[in-house]
Amino acid sequence: MSATGQGVVVTGMGATTPLGGDVATTWDGLLAGRSGVSTIDEEWVDTFELPVKIAAQLATEPTETIKRVEARRLDRSEQTAIVAAREAWAHADLGDYPSTEDGSPKVEGLRLAVIIGTGIGGALTLLGQDDILEQQGLRKVSVLTIPMLMPNGPAAHVGLEFGAAAGVHAPVSACASGAEAIAWAWRMLKADEVDVVVAGGTEACIAPITIGGFSQARTMALRNDEPERASRPFDTGRNGFVLGEGAGMVVLEREEFAQARGATVHGRIAGIGTSADAYHITAPDPEGTGQSRAIAAALRTAGIDPSDVGHVNCHATATSVGDVAETVAVKKAIGEHPVLTAPKGSLGHLLGAAGAVEAITTILSVREGLVPPTANLEELDPDVTLDVVAGDARKVSLDAAISDSFGFGGHNVCLAITPA
Amino acid sequence: MATNEEILPDLASIVEEVAGVDAAEVTSEKSFVDDLDIDSLSMVEIAVQAEDKFGVKIPDDELAKLTTVQDAVDYISSHS
């Protein structure tokens, strides 16, 4: 189905999210329409009188699988990246890490890249070390402050772990970062620069200043009394997103390389489309112009006709303007026929990890022929005139699907996903 | 002044805490870099914790001279 050159196939997936510590539990939670949102049990919520007292916090602490000594050298956003990347690597059956003594990875380091995006980076380290500097002085500031706060830290640590020598990159495009990493990987694989890329996104920045900042921008859900009902994409009662944390990683390979080593293929990144709104720093273009261009580009690079797209995994964060604008873009670029879902009803908004986690759920939808419901969608916004799955998961045989990701700054990244 | 026998177990537990090396491996003849595989960043962390634990000052130029565990024990013993 690929328009140019050889295909890009998905051979591994890993995730840690508010619904579960791996892909399987995350997917089960999504299919069940479960919510990963809960009350934040921290003093600072009251100290700063934050209007938002809820978040989509990790279901499984990274330290349950990462050794203590390792964990203390990693920012939380690096820990989540490591957890998801290890799962994806094992899932792809790429062999021992190069760092082990009898390591025999099935890909050469010189043909392996790691591309991991983040929206915010190591904010928790920056904030924590700044507190230490102010309260205890320079002596107590960690020697690892900079590698823990730098936004390329997650990519660098995962790259070191697997011995990736062909390139380690960290796209930063707010809430499109995770999808942008996959788009970047697709380009490297298409150009035959590498055989394998570990690509994805990570985020862990639940803190007073991020919640405070997003609150001041009037973008956050305020349903503090009912956390599990707070994230409501496409619903008439929506009033913003719920901040989440987590990571998602995929292992992508050149089709020939995957075939030669007999890898199991779970789906394809058939095409990618990126664009910029050039409209406003935070608000999406209500006409969906830039978004529809990104969707159209993904279909064009994939060589897919709009009529073949059966499903769109929406970015829909549950803001009043954004959700409707996205459906306008879908109608322009694809038409009225795709079945939509909005995973953020369950997951909350994982910012830089969202695009990667949602690419995984789209890959699973195509593979399983199953579209998860949009949690908390009880009364569809009358301005949304498309078919949005609500209540129960829906069986749909899919030839192609689109995963949308958009970010503050007007970044639009769309991935065209097809079956193995 | 603390004795070598008192210093070594505490220093070993700091090394274990910072670098993940089993405290039992931290014996006097071992080199921090060559035997225990401790990098320069971890050495700074170990020094800061040792300063607090033993009430000594370990300036960077002195730290650079501490090659073996025994070097560190001797320095702490004579400066605490």
Side-chain angles (χ1 to χ4, degrees):
Chain A
M1 220 168 207
S2 155
T4 53
Q6 58 195 320
V8 172
V9 296
V10 182
T11 58
M13 294 175 274
T16 181
T17 73
L19 292 175
D22 56 19
V23 169
T25 51
T26 298
W27 178 241
D28 287 348
L30 264 186
L31 290 178
R34 200 155 59 73
S35 169
V37 180
S38 59
T39 301
I40 302 171
D41 185 21
E42 299 281 354
E43 259 181 43
W44 48 254
V45 173
D46 295 325
T47 307
F48 297 109
E49 298 178 358
L50 296 175
V52 173
K53 305 176 192 304
I54 54 175
Q57 300 161 90
L58 283 176
T60 304
E61 280 299 307
T63 44
E64 286 185 26
T65 52
I66 294 181
K67 285 184 206 149
R68 187 190 55 78
V69 170
E70 201 177 11
R72 66 187 292 282
R73 301 174 74 93
L74 299 168
D75 180 75
R76 188 171 173 85
S77 67
E78 297 170 339
Q79 294 174 4
T80 48
I82 291 274
V83 169
R86 284 177 182 168
E87 184 191 357
W89 184 273
H91 188 213
D93 189 27
L94 279 165
D96 288 341
Y97 307 156
S99 56
T100 61
E101 275 180 21
D102 54 351
S104 53
K106 296 173 183 172
V107 55
E108 276 182 56
L110 291 171
R111 295 287 293 176
L112 170 68
V114 168
I115 310 178
I116 298 174
T118 177
I120 306 285
L124 299 184
T125 293
L126 176 60
L127 293 163
Q129 293 299 320
D130 186 63
D131 285 347
I132 289 172
L133 176 65
E134 293 191 28
Q135 290 158 19
Q136 303 177 49
L138 178 61
R139 263 188 82 253
K140 293 289 187 178
V141 172
S142 170
V143 295
L144 296 161
T145 300
I146 301 302
M148 287 171 72
L149 72 80
M150 63 192 194
N152 57 314
H157 277 288
V158 172
L160 274 172
E161 171 131 344
F162 299 137
V168 169
H169 307 285
V172 175
S173 46
C175 309
S177 303
E180 183 127 35
I182 293 170
W184 193 329
W186 184 90
R187 291 186 183 118
M188 286 188 84
L189 290 159
K190 281 284 187 184
D192 198 12
E193 290 180 53
V194 288
D195 292 324
V196 178
V197 183
V198 177
T202 187
E203 203 75 70
C205 66
I206 297 172
I209 190 61
T210 45
I211 289 183
F214 281 122
S215 294
Q216 289 295 82
R218 308 296 193 267
T219 57
M220 297 194 90
L222 300 167
R223 201 181 286 251
N224 292 315
D225 297 338
E226 299 177 292
E228 68 286 349
R229 299 186 67 218
S231 186
R232 317 177 62 80
F234 295 127
D235 187 82
T236 49
R238 72 187 185 279
N239 57 7
F241 73 83
V242 174
L243 181 61
E245 57 181 354
M249 299 291 157
V250 290
V251 173
L252 304 179
E253 304 188 34
R254 290 192 309 114
E255 185 171 10
E256 282 178 3
F257 185 81
Q259 272 176 355
R261 74 179 188 89
T264 302
V265 173
H266 302 281
R268 292 165 182 272
I269 308 297
I272 58 116
T274 61
S275 73
D277 272 3
Y279 173 80
H280 185 271
I281 191 64
T282 58
D285 176 354
E287 299 299 318
T289 310
Q291 296 178 1
S292 68
R293 280 191 289 115
I295 297 171
L299 297 179
R300 191 173 65 245
T301 54
I304 292 173
D305 192 84
S307 62
D308 292 331
V309 178
H311 168 50
V312 177
N313 186 301
C314 292
H315 179 71
T317 64
T319 62
S320 58
V321 179
D323 290 13
V324 175
E326 183 171 5
T327 65
V328 173
V330 168
K331 280 190 272 190
K332 272 186 186 169
I334 305 174
E336 309 257 346
H337 57 278
V339 172
L340 273 49
T341 193
K344 290 182 180 74
S346 289
L347 290 163
H349 193 351
L350 306 187
L351 305 186
V357 170
E358 293 166 16
I360 290 169
T361 69
T362 311
I363 292 161
L364 292 172
S365 279
V366 171
R367 191 185 75 180
E368 305 296 326
L370 207 50
V371 176
T374 303
N376 295 316
L377 175 50
E378 291 168 354
E379 187 182 346
L380 187 66
D381 183 331
D383 288 337
V384 174
T385 56
L386 297 175
D387 180 5
V388 185
V389 179
D392 297 317
R394 192 184 301 175
K395 285 186 182 171
V396 190
S397 179
L398 297 170
D399 295 326
I402 289 285
S403 180
D404 279 348
S405 295
F406 313 127
F408 272 13
H411 309 272
N412 307 308
V413 181
C414 298
L415 307 173
I417 291 162
T418 57
Chain B
M1 187 194 286
T3 65
N4 286 7
E5 289 71 26
E6 290 163 346
I7 292 167
L8 185 57
D10 286 342
L11 181 63
S13 70
I14 290 172
V15 173
E16 179 173 285
E17 159 76 18
V18 170
V21 178
D22 191 338
E25 296 287 311
V26 185
T27 50
S28 55
E29 77 286 358
K30 296 276 177 67
S31 158
F32 287 109
V33 175
D34 296 334
D35 298 325
L36 301 177
D37 200 23
I38 291 168
D39 66 19
S40 61
L41 292 179
S42 293
M43 279 305 292
V44 175
E45 282 193 280
I46 289 165
V48 170
Q49 291 202 18
E51 287 184 341
D52 288 350
K53 179 75 189 173
F54 302 109
V56 294
K57 283 276 171 217
I58 311 176
D60 285 356
D61 52 350
E62 294 294 335
L63 178 62
K65 296 177 197 163
L66 306 181
T67 305
T68 65
V69 174
Q70 188 62 47
D71 293 340
V73 170
D74 291 342
Y75 181 90
I76 291 164
S77 168
S78 58
H79 290 79
S80 59

